[in-house]
Coordinates of all heavy atoms in Angstrom, one line a residue:
S245 N -3.2 -13.5 7.4 CA -2.1 -13.1 6.7 C -2.6 -11.8 5.9 O -3.8 -11.6 5.7 CB -1.6 -14.0 5.7 OG -0.5 -13.5 5.1
N246 N -1.6 -10.8 5.7 CA -2.0 -9.8 4.7 C -1.7 -10.1 3.3 O -1.8 -9.2 2.5 CB -1.2 -8.5 5.2 CG 0.3 -8.7 5.1 OD1 0.8 -9.6 4.6 ND2 1.0 -7.6 5.6
N247 N -1.3 -11.4 3.0 CA -0.9 -11.8 1.6 C -1.8 -12.9 1.1 O -2.2 -13.8 1.8 CB 0.6 -12.3 1.7 CG 1.1 -12.7 0.3 OD1 0.7 -13.7 -0.3 ND2 2.0 -11.9 -0.1
L248 N -2.4 -12.6 -0.1 CA -3.4 -13.5 -0.5 C -2.9 -14.9 -0.8 O -3.7 -15.9 -0.4 CB -3.9 -13.0 -1.9 CG -5.2 -13.7 -2.5 CD1 -6.0 -12.7 -3.2 CD2 -4.7 -14.8 -3.5
E249 N -1.7 -15.1 -1.2 CA -1.2 -16.5 -1.4 C -1.0 -17.3 -0.1 O -1.3 -18.5 -0.1 CB 0.3 -16.4 -2.0 CG 0.2 -15.9 -3.5 CD -0.4 -16.7 -4.3 OE1 -0.4 -18.1 -4.0 OE2 -0.9 -16.4 -5.4
E250 N -0.8 -16.6 0.9 CA -0.7 -17.2 2.3 C -2.1 -17.6 2.8 O -2.3 -18.7 3.5 CB 0.1 -16.5 3.2 CG 1.4 -16.2 2.9 CD 2.3 -17.3 2.3 OE1 2.1 -18.5 3.0 OE2 2.9 -17.3 1.3
V251 N -3.1 -16.7 2.6 CA -4.4 -17.2 3.0 C -5.0 -18.3 2.1 O -5.5 -19.2 2.7 CB -5.4 -15.9 2.7 CG1 -6.8 -16.2 3.0 CG2 -5.0 -14.8 3.7
R252 N -4.7 -18.2 0.8 CA -5.0 -19.4 0.0 C -4.3 -20.7 0.4 O -4.9 -21.7 0.5 CB -4.6 -19.0 -1.4 CG -4.6 -20.1 -2.5 CD -4.2 -19.6 -3.8 NE -4.1 -20.7 -4.8 CZ -2.9 -21.3 -5.1 NH1 -1.8 -20.9 -4.3 NH2 -2.8 -22.2 -6.0
R253 N -3.0 -20.5 0.8 CA -2.3 -21.7 1.3 C -2.9 -22.4 2.5 O -3.1 -23.5 2.6 CB -0.8 -21.3 1.7 CG 0.1 -22.5 2.1 CD 1.3 -22.1 2.8 NE 2.1 -21.0 2.1 CZ 3.0 -21.3 1.1 NH1 3.2 -22.5 0.8 NH2 3.5 -20.3 0.5
M254 N -3.3 -21.6 3.5 CA -4.0 -22.0 4.7 C -5.3 -22.7 4.5 O -5.7 -23.7 5.1 CB -4.0 -20.9 5.8 CG -2.7 -20.5 6.3 SD -2.7 -19.3 7.6 CE -3.0 -17.9 6.7
I255 N -6.0 -22.0 3.5 CA -7.3 -22.7 3.2 C -7.1 -23.9 2.5 O -7.9 -25.1 2.9 CB -8.0 -21.8 2.2 CG1 -8.5 -20.4 3.0 CG2 -9.4 -22.4 1.6 CD1 -9.1 -19.3 2.0
M256 N -6.2 -24.1 1.6 CA -5.9 -25.4 0.9 C -5.5 -26.4 1.8 O -5.8 -27.7 1.7 CB -5.0 -25.1 -0.3 CG -5.6 -24.4 -1.4 SD -4.4 -23.9 -2.7 CE -3.7 -25.5 -3.1
A257 N -4.7 -26.0 2.9 CA -4.3 -26.9 3.9 C -5.2 -27.4 4.9 O -5.0 -28.2 5.6 CB -3.0 -26.3 4.6
G258 N -6.5 -26.8 4.8 CA -7.6 -27.3 5.6 C -7.6 -26.7 7.0 O -8.4 -27.2 7.9
L259 N -6.9 -25.5 7.2 CA -6.9 -24.9 8.5 C -8.3 -24.3 8.9 O -8.7 -24.3 10.1 CB -5.9 -23.7 8.5 CG -4.6 -24.2 9.0 CD1 -3.9 -25.1 8.1 CD2 -3.6 -22.9 9.2
G260 N -9.1 -23.8 7.9 CA -10.4 -23.4 8.0 C -11.0 -22.8 6.8 O -10.4 -23.0 5.7
I261 N -12.2 -22.3 6.8 CA -12.9 -21.7 5.7 C -12.5 -20.2 5.6 O -12.0 -19.6 6.6 CB -14.4 -21.9 5.8 CG1 -14.9 -21.0 7.0 CG2 -14.8 -23.3 5.8 CD1 -16.4 -20.9 7.1
G262 N -12.3 -19.6 4.4 CA -11.8 -18.3 4.2 C -12.1 -17.7 2.9 O -12.6 -18.3 2.0
P263 N -12.1 -16.4 2.8 CA -12.4 -15.5 1.7 C -11.3 -15.5 0.8 O -10.2 -15.4 1.1 CB -12.8 -14.2 2.3 CG -11.9 -14.1 3.6 CD -11.7 -15.4 4.0
L264 N -11.7 -15.5 -0.6 CA -10.7 -15.2 -1.6 C -11.4 -14.6 -2.8 O -12.6 -14.9 -3.0 CB -10.1 -16.7 -2.1 CG -9.0 -17.2 -1.2 CD1 -8.7 -18.7 -1.7 CD2 -7.8 -16.5 -1.0
P265 N -10.7 -13.8 -3.7 CA -11.4 -13.3 -4.8 C -11.7 -14.4 -5.8 O -10.9 -15.2 -6.2 CB -10.4 -12.3 -5.5 CG -9.3 -12.1 -4.3 CD -9.4 -13.3 -3.5
I266 N -12.9 -14.5 -6.2 CA -13.4 -15.6 -7.1 C -12.6 -15.8 -8.3 O -12.2 -16.9 -8.7 CB -15.0 -15.6 -7.3 CG1 -15.7 -15.6 -6.0 CG2 -15.4 -16.7 -8.3 CD1 -17.2 -15.4 -6.2
H267 N -12.4 -14.6 -9.0 CA -11.8 -14.8 -10.3 C -10.3 -15.1 -10.2 O -9.7 -15.7 -11.1 CB -11.9 -13.4 -11.1 CG -10.9 -12.3 -10.7 ND1 -11.1 -11.8 -9.4 CD2 -9.9 -11.8 -11.3 CE1 -10.2 -10.8 -9.4 NE2 -9.4 -10.8 -10.4
V268 N -9.7 -14.9 -9.0 CA -8.2 -15.2 -8.9 C -8.0 -16.8 -8.7 O -7.0 -17.3 -9.1 CB -7.7 -14.4 -7.6 CG1 -6.2 -14.9 -7.3 CG2 -7.6 -13.0 -7.8
V269 N -9.0 -17.4 -8.2 CA -8.8 -18.8 -7.8 C -9.7 -19.7 -8.7 O -10.0 -20.9 -8.3 CB -9.2 -19.2 -6.3 CG1 -8.2 -18.5 -5.5 CG2 -10.6 -18.7 -5.9
E270 N -10.1 -19.2 -9.8 CA -10.9 -20.0 -10.8 C -10.2 -21.4 -11.1 O -10.8 -22.5 -11.2 CB -11.2 -19.2 -12.0 CG -12.4 -18.1 -11.8 CD -12.7 -17.4 -13.1 OE1 -11.7 -17.5 -14.1 OE2 -13.7 -16.8 -13.1
R271 N -8.9 -21.2 -11.5 CA -8.1 -22.6 -11.9 C -8.2 -23.5 -10.6 O -8.3 -24.7 -10.8 CB -6.9 -22.1 -12.3 CG -6.0 -23.4 -12.8 CD -4.7 -23.0 -13.3 NE -4.8 -22.1 -14.3 CZ -4.9 -22.4 -15.6 NH1 -4.8 -23.8 -15.9 NH2 -4.9 -21.6 -16.5
D272 N -8.0 -23.0 -9.5 CA -8.0 -23.8 -8.2 C -9.3 -24.5 -8.0 O -9.4 -25.7 -7.6 CB -7.6 -23.1 -6.9 CG -6.2 -22.4 -7.0 OD1 -5.4 -23.3 -7.5 OD2 -6.0 -21.4 -6.4
I273 N -10.5 -23.8 -8.3 CA -11.8 -24.4 -8.2 C -11.9 -25.6 -9.3 O -12.4 -26.7 -9.0 CB -12.8 -23.3 -8.4 CG1 -12.8 -22.3 -7.3 CG2 -14.2 -24.0 -8.3 CD1 -13.7 -21.1 -7.6
A274 N -11.5 -25.2 -10.5 CA -11.7 -26.2 -11.6 C -10.8 -27.5 -11.3 O -11.3 -28.6 -11.7 CB -11.2 -25.5 -12.9

Side-chain angles (χ1 to χ4, degrees):
S245 175
N246 61 8
N247 186 285
L248 186 146
E249 288 296 334
E250 299 311 318
V251 173
R252 172 177 167 271
R253 184 198 307 275
M254 289 186 283
I255 292 173
M256 290 174 57
L259 271 67
I261 61 175
L264 291 168
I266 296 172
H267 78 291
V268 172
V269 295
E270 285 180 341
R271 185 179 297 274
D272 291 327
I273 299 171

